[in-house]
Each structure stands twice: as C-alpha cells, then as structure tokens.
Amino acid sequence: MLLLPLLVAAAAPLALPAAQPVGSATLARDAETRWVPFELTPGNQLRFTMTVDGRPATAILDTGVSYSVLSRRFAERAALKVRPGGNATAIGGVVDIGWTPTATIAMGGLTRRGGGLTVATLPAIATGSADAVDLLVGRDLTGGFALDIDYAGRRFRLLPSGRLPFRGFTAPLSISRDRLVYVSEITLGAARLRPMVVDTGDGSSVTVTAGGWANARLPGIPTTTAISFGLAGAVTSTIGIVPTLRLGELTARNVEIRVEPAGGFSDSIEAAGRIGSGFLQNYRVLLDPTAGRMILSPVPHADQPPVRSTSGLLVGVARDRLKVLHVMQGGPAQAAGWKEGDMICAIDGQTIPADYPASPLASWSAGTPGRTVTLRMCDGTERKLTLRDFY
C-alpha cells in the first residue's frame, strides 16, 4: 500500500538493545563532492541507496532514530546473525528489536567500519512507500558530522562538523543525552516548546503534545483529524494550520501542526514534539549538532500555505483501488457517511492507474472547493462528493 501526500509516515527513536560496539566512522577527503541522490517518497521521506557489508540497501534518512535500524527481511536475506534485543518504544506502540554486527556501512563520503545495527520489522506503510526499505539511517551514523540536505536538488551529503556551505537562519541543535536523537526548540504562540526532535524520518510538518498546544494559547485555529503510521501502528492526531512559528532566527508562516493526544508518543519519551521532513523540505537544511546549530535557507514559496484536503478522505493505494484509511473530522466525507475501509475503483470515470500518486488524478482529494467528484466504489455503486474547505 502506498501512502498519499496528505497521509504521512513517521518513524521513531529506538534504543540499542545492549552495550554493543559502535564502530568507527570516517569521511573521505572528497566527501564534499559525494552527494547522495534521494527521492522524496509520498510520505515526505528521503529514500536512497547505500551499502551494508557490500550489499546494496534501500534506506531512509531518519534523524529521529537513535540507532540505525536494519529490516529483518534484509538480515534474513543476507544470512546475518541477529541477537535478541528486547523491545523499544516507537510511534504506535512497542516493537521487538535485535542487533547484528556489521563489517562496513557506506553512503556518500561516509564509511563506518565495525559496530552493528539494530534490527526490527520495517513495514512499508511506516516508510511512506509501496515497498518496504532495508534500513533507517539514524543518529549513530550521521550525528558526528554536518548533514547538508538539499531538498530542492533531491540530494544530501555529509561534511566535517563546523563547515558552513551556505547561509541562512540559525536555530539551536544538539543531541539529547537521554534519547540520543537530534533536538531543537520552537516558539508556538505563547509557548516555548523543547525538546523538539528534529526528525527527517517523520513525513509530517510539526507535531506537538496536547499540553504544548494548550500552552500555546492559539484560539480560533480551525482543526480536523489525520492519521499517520509509525513502526508500531497508526496514530490519529488533531491538525490545524498556524499563521507563524519561530525556530531560532526563523519565522515560518502557514505551518501545519499535528497535535498528539495526551499520553501520546512525544509524552512517552518526554519530548515536546517533532519537527519533520514535511516542514524541513521548505528549506535547504544543515544539521550540525556538534557545532550546536541548524541552518535553514528558504526555498522559493517556503511560506505558501500547505495543501489542504477538501474531501476529508485520507486514502492509500492498493494496486488498482484506493482504500479509505481515515475520514477527517468535520469534512464533507464525514458528513456524507464515508467509513474507514471504503474502497474506490474510479474517479470521475477514470480507473486508478499504477502511477496514481504521481498522476494528476491524485489531486482530486484536495481539489477546488465546490467541485463535485463522482467516485465509483469497488462494489459497483457510485457516490458523489462535493469538495469544500473545512479547516
């Protein structure tokens, strides 16, 4: 199943199963020239190819993960020895983890010799793509260097800490002592929220706790609901769009905010929330925790309002059909009686193509308010849905 842009995925901090050797990571002398190309998945995640013990592996760059995670499927295929490691907290619940030693890991100008990887099941639905990836690249591989992410150019590279390859707005950045992930802070309304996990593996924009949202005191923001998927399952959140948000020197405008329910994942790891790739992709980003800074250089139209659903349906693609994964609160679909699990086989007479997420047809769910869309259900019946603004 493939997630559409309005439905984002989210990875989570994971802990090393036990005290294990961490290996030695070095940068090549020409690391500055060794850009790693990536594709931005429908879940707003950075997907690329690297090598593990000489074998090609598909990976997602995930600064919200403390120790890089290898999929059990890859470990089994490569006949790697996996030691049991107990379990770890992830978005959606708890996942079983293990650990496997590795000889070499390489991406761009970085090579790590020795050490190993956490091992867990990596379902496709949690990584924003039709196909599951082999690896989540976390803080243990990138945290000692400056990470330069050129979202517009769809490429990233690792540089020695202290390098400043471009100018932009500066915000604080460090590695948290407890969770060992990238963290910063934001000002939202009346609230200063910290620590905020800087999480390139989270496809959403900015997520905050229910308490943080209440402390921000932002009356009059229309909200609805949305669903996201983590390694351990689905989470429903409240979403709204705030006029401004401050991140260090940067004032960002028209920012989508997700509000987790009380006692949610951020509360469980004692964080104020997450800054995800849905937000970061509006900038060229330098993450350099050793130097204590994050640099953000806006891309054109960085402050444009985000795409909003006008249908109230969040759907996933299952071959030649769309499955309703969530009906947004207060939207036209909820008013018309749509339910989770409803299956759509055609939109205005067009069947669902294999490349649906990249096709113009996929824009219907955030189309012009007032437009009426005819949806043929997979049971042969037809429904009409009139689009409108609702948050």
Side-chain angles (χ1 to χ4, degrees):
M1 182 173 292
L2 186 64
L3 302 183
L4 301 183
L6 286 173
L7 178 64
V8 297
L14 293 172
L16 196 66
Q20 303 287 1
V22 296
S24 176
T26 58
L27 289 182
R29 291 183 179 180
D30 62 346
E32 185 170 347
T33 67
R34 296 199 186 185
W35 288 96
V36 179
F38 68 82
E39 62 174 344
L40 200 63
T41 73
N44 285 331
Q45 295 168 312
L46 290 68
R47 182 180 175 130
F48 61 98
T49 301
M50 57 183 294
T51 62
V52 176
D53 290 350
R55 299 179 179 89
T58 57
I60 281 179
L61 186 65
D62 195 341
T63 57
V65 166
S66 48
Y67 291 95
S68 299
V69 185
L70 186 69
S71 74
R72 292 189 184 278
R73 178 177 55 88
F74 184 96
E76 291 170 359
R77 192 171 64 232
L80 300 177
K81 295 181 179 179
V82 179
R83 304 171 189 171
N87 54 55
T89 301
I91 291 175
V94 175
V95 296
D96 293 328
I97 60 175
W99 187 85
T100 186
T102 56
T104 59
I105 296 174
M107 61 176 181
L110 172 72
T111 301
R112 189 182 77 180
R113 293 176 174 83
L117 295 167
T118 300
V119 179
T121 300
L122 299 181
I125 201 167
T127 50
S129 183
D131 301 312
V133 296
D134 300 317
L135 183 64
L136 303 181
V137 172
R139 181 277 321 164
D140 58 319
L141 286 172
T142 63
F145 309 102
L147 176 58
D148 179 5
I149 307 175
D150 178 7
Y151 278 95
R154 297 292 190 266
R155 59 183 188 169
F156 72 87
R157 60 182 174 175
L158 288 158
L159 304 171
S161 177
R163 290 292 308 276
L164 192 62
F166 61 91
R167 298 288 179 179
F169 297 96
T170 301
L173 184 72
S174 61
I175 301 294
S176 65
R177 293 182 179 180
D178 49 357
R179 294 289 170 174
L180 297 176
V181 291
Y182 291 60
V183 293
S184 186
E185 61 183 58
I186 64 171
T187 300
L188 179 64
R192 182 184 180 190
L193 304 179
R194 59 180 179 176
M196 293 287 294
V197 178
V198 180
D199 188 354
T200 59
D202 186 341
S204 58
S205 179
V206 174
T207 301
V208 301
T209 64
W213 180 252
N215 291 337
R217 297 198 295 273
L218 292 168
I221 303 293
T223 61
T224 182
T225 56
I227 193 171
S228 56
F229 290 87
L231 295 184
V235 176
T236 300
S237 303
T238 298
I239 65 169
I241 297 173
V242 301
T244 62
L245 172 153
R246 285 194 60 83
L247 174 59
E249 298 174 344
L250 173 71
T251 298
R253 305 183 190 284
N254 299 309
V255 180
E256 183 179 276
I257 301 292
R258 290 188 175 233
V259 184
E260 292 179 328
F265 176 72
S266 295
D267 280 334
S268 73
I269 63 168
E270 298 181 336
R274 300 183 302 281
I275 301 169
S277 195
F279 175 85
L280 297 173
Q281 68 179 317
N282 294 314
Y283 307 89
R284 182 171 173 181
V285 179
L286 184 74
L287 302 177
D288 191 351
T290 301
R293 68 190 178 195
M294 169 168 44
I295 308 296
L296 302 107
S297 178
V299 301
H301 314 299
D303 288 334
Q304 290 296 308
V307 175
R308 306 185 197 210
S309 173
T310 51
S311 63
L313 290 175
L314 296 179
V315 298
V317 178
R319 297 182 181 175
D320 59 348
R321 58 195 61 197
L322 304 180
K323 181 179 180 179
V324 175
L325 301 178
H326 182 69
V327 181
M328 302 171 76
Q329 188 176 61
Q334 184 186 57
W338 284 73
K339 303 295 182 185
E340 180 182 320
D342 285 344
M343 303 293 289
I344 301 169
C345 277
I347 302 164
D348 284 338
Q350 298 183 60
T351 56
I352 308 302
D355 64 343
Y356 173 82
S359 73
L361 186 61
S363 64
W364 73 272
S365 63
T368 304
R371 173 188 170 191
T372 297
V373 183
T374 300
L375 302 164
R376 178 165 58 81
M377 311 306 291
C378 295
D379 63 4
T381 62
E382 280 194 349
R383 301 184 192 178
K384 294 188 181 295
L385 184 62
T386 300
L387 309 179
R388 64 175 170 84
D389 290 325
F390 62 98
Y391 72 103

